[in-house]
Amino acid sequence: MRVYGVVGYKNAGKTGLMERLVADITGRGLQVSTLKHAHHRFDVDQPGKDSFRHRAAGASQVLLASNTRWALMSELGDQAEPSLTDLLAKLDPVDLVLVEGYKRDAHPKVEAYRQETGNPLIARNDPTIRAVASDVPLDLDRPVFDLDATRAVADFILSEVGL
């Protein structure tokens, strides 16, 4: 499976870029899955719903299914957070998996950067970041795209992974 990441600090535009990349690349007829890392507890379930009640009662896994989708929720308990490699192995085969986050992993990435956040540019010290999508011009040793130039960023990623 081909994997490419989008990284950046909070409010840098990662999620918007991911959303636009998925739309652009799937619009070309390719299958794309996404994997997003969260730095906080999250819940995709709602209190009071049956599946929430199953988890709250102690189920290790709850699989929720309908005629339009299914979702499998797994409780980690005291187990360590799964690695990116372990999580990727759980996905069905597709043309490309776009990963939001996991900036310390070794897969190739594009950094989303907004100057107004005041955060440093990760790319300066990270060779796994192959390009930057920025809201300001930058002088770097790798390609810099306008943060809103989705088609150009998608072309770059697809070229990098051989699609």
Side-chain angles (χ1 to χ4, degrees):
M1 223 169 353
R2 294 168 175 99
V3 176
Y4 218 91
V6 174
V7 297
Y9 288 103
K10 184 176 179 171
N11 297 321
K14 299 180 301 292
T15 302
L17 180 58
M18 285 278 292
E19 182 180 14
R20 294 189 310 274
L21 287 171
V22 170
D24 182 284
I25 295 169
T26 59
R28 299 177 194 209
L30 296 170
Q31 284 188 308
V32 176
S33 289
T34 64
L35 195 157
K36 177 176 178 11
H37 187 256
H39 293 284
H40 50 78
R41 290 184 61 101
F42 67 91
D43 208 334
V44 295
D45 217 353
Q46 299 298 316
K49 296 293 185 181
D50 293 349
S51 53
F52 183 93
R53 292 172 60 190
H54 295 183
R55 282 191 310 115
S60 297
Q61 289 188 308
V62 175
L63 195 146
L64 181 62
S66 75
N67 66 340
T68 57
R69 73 183 54 89
W70 65 270
L72 176 63
M73 294 172 282
S74 297
E75 294 297 314
L76 292 176
D78 293 335
Q79 298 174 38
E81 180 179 343
S83 70
L84 177 58
T85 301
D86 291 341
L87 294 170
L88 288 168
K90 295 180 184 300
L91 294 175
D92 291 338
V94 293
D95 297 310
L96 177 65
V97 177
L98 290 174
V99 177
E100 183 176 339
Y102 291 94
K103 67 180 165 224
R104 291 179 183 85
D105 284 79
H107 61 287
K109 306 165 191 78
V110 169
E111 179 178 356
Y113 177 79
R114 280 202 177 113
Q115 186 176 42
E116 70 186 29
T117 66
N119 291 309
L121 194 61
I122 301 167
R124 293 202 195 281
N125 299 308
D126 187 344
T128 68
I129 296 176
R130 306 290 307 236
V132 176
S134 174
D135 66 344
V136 295
L138 299 169
D139 183 23
L140 288 176
D141 61 350
R142 64 203 84 184
V144 177
F145 300 96
D146 184 282
L147 187 56
D148 294 321
T150 306
R151 183 107 182 144
V153 176
D155 287 345
F156 176 81
I157 291 171
L158 294 175
S159 174
E160 285 267 294
V161 299
L163 288 173

